[in-house]
Amino acid sequence: MRSEEGGLAGCVVTGAAGFVGSHLVERLLSLGCLVVGVDNFFSGHRENMDAFAEHPAFRFYERSISEKGLLRELKGWHPGLTVCFHLAAIVSVPYSVDHPEETLHMNHKCTHQLLAEAEELGFDGFVFAGSAAEYGEDERLPLFEEYATSQTHHLSPYGRAKYLASRQVGKSPIGAALRFFNIYGPRQDPSSQYSGVISRFADMALVGKPLTIFGDGLQSRDFIYVADVVEAYIRAGGLQNSGSGRVPARGVYNIATGTGTTILELARVIQDLSCALTGHASSLSFQPQRQGDIRHSVAAPHAFQKAVGWTPAVSLRKGLTLTLRWAFDNTLGSVCRHEEFNLF
Ligand code: UD1
């Protein structure tokens, strides 16, 4: 992909070592972009960058988004930068409850700072990672973008900070805020009890442990596969067209499928797929409902589809198959070396 000056289109990706960030970097490199990755490894992992760390069009800086003047410095070194994908954030909702000030600072104030710098530096796109948590607990389903307002009762400082930042980005002449619903796929870290449910279920099912369902399992979520998320980023950055036809998106958009799946349905599909891979069935274990758990979360995804022609392409079953296959090939090997999980 060539910019008007004839050089490679340049993109900054903050949170490049994270689950989604690393997939986005890979895709941008495959499009021929110059990619400058930034991460401070607060929650990202160096090994997520293994696939492209040595790529000639990739540069990495171990820096924090809280550093004033960061974008100016990067632009000084790489004048071809024109789009900023801002993914770096405090991503844990429980952490945000324990650290509200830090969360507001990192997820809202630092986004504001980066956006202001991007505007001053003449960037033509600033794409921000918003969240379904911006809607708080709103019972009107599906959730339309305009439902999140300053009156919304956010259930966590994470949701509040993401809302404030999205609102600001959405008003910027260069900004697009993408409100992601429940993202899943290869490289999602299953290691904490607060990790995404699919990464946890995949991890547990493949080693034959029971899948823990919090509550009755009838709560639902709108699950979106990481490749569809990456495609949404590409469209939002206007990078789907090569050359001078680039038109980055503006505004606030839901990124989701529009279909709710209950946790129980999800568990059953993962049980099946995992059994097909390992030959062993895993059971279900019902645990008390999580405090503050939202009952249903399903988006109206049409605004973004209308704006840029994006539609999710990966069905839940297909996405789960790819995710389990990846977990089987990449994480299970080490677990299975432990006698306790000698399944084969
Ligand atoms: C919430 C936020 C999301 C944020 C994420 C990070 C909303 C709507 N979403 O997602 O923006 O990125 O937290 O933590 O606020 N579950 C089980 N068993 C498990 C794990 C989870 O039953 O082992 C259940 C949970 O109780 C929940 C559902 O699965 O009902 C989804 O949980 P999870 O993947 O953690 O995401 P959310 O809580 O929806």
Side-chain angles (χ1 to χ4, degrees), residues 274-285:
S274 151
C275 187
L277 274 172
T278 65
H280 292 258
S282 54
S283 58
L284 302 181
S285 148

Side-chain angles (χ1 to χ4, degrees), residues 131 133 182 196-197 200 212-214 219 221 263 290 293-294:
S131 167
N182 291 61
V197 62
R200 280 174 54 78
T212 49
I213 296 191
F214 300 133
Q219 68 270 42
R221 294 294 184 271
I263 300 308
R290 259 186 194 168
D293 210 16
I294 290 173

Side-chain angles (χ1 to χ4, degrees), residues 208-282:
K209 283 185 179 174
L211 311 188
T212 49
I213 296 191
F214 300 133
D216 60 8
L218 298 179
Q219 68 270 42
S220 61
R221 294 294 184 271
D222 190 332
F223 294 103
I224 178 103
Y225 187 64
V226 67
D228 284 326
V229 164
V230 165
E231 195 50 39
Y233 269 118
I234 299 299
R235 302 277 176 132
L239 296 166
Q240 71 277 22
N241 300 317
S242 57
S244 55
R246 289 206 311 109
V247 185
R250 310 270 182 259
V252 180
Y253 299 104
N254 287 336
I255 305 298
T257 64
T259 303
T261 302
T262 68
I263 300 308
L264 206 51
E265 284 168 334
L266 178 73
R268 298 240 157 88
V269 178
I270 292 179
Q271 279 179 314
D272 280 0
L273 293 172
S274 151
C275 187
L277 274 172
T278 65
H280 292 258
S282 54

Side-chain angles (χ1 to χ4, degrees), residues 286-297:
F286 287 84
Q287 307 284 329
Q289 187 185 333
R290 259 186 194 168
Q291 212 187 346
D293 210 16
I294 290 173
R295 187 70 175 159
H296 298 294
S297 171

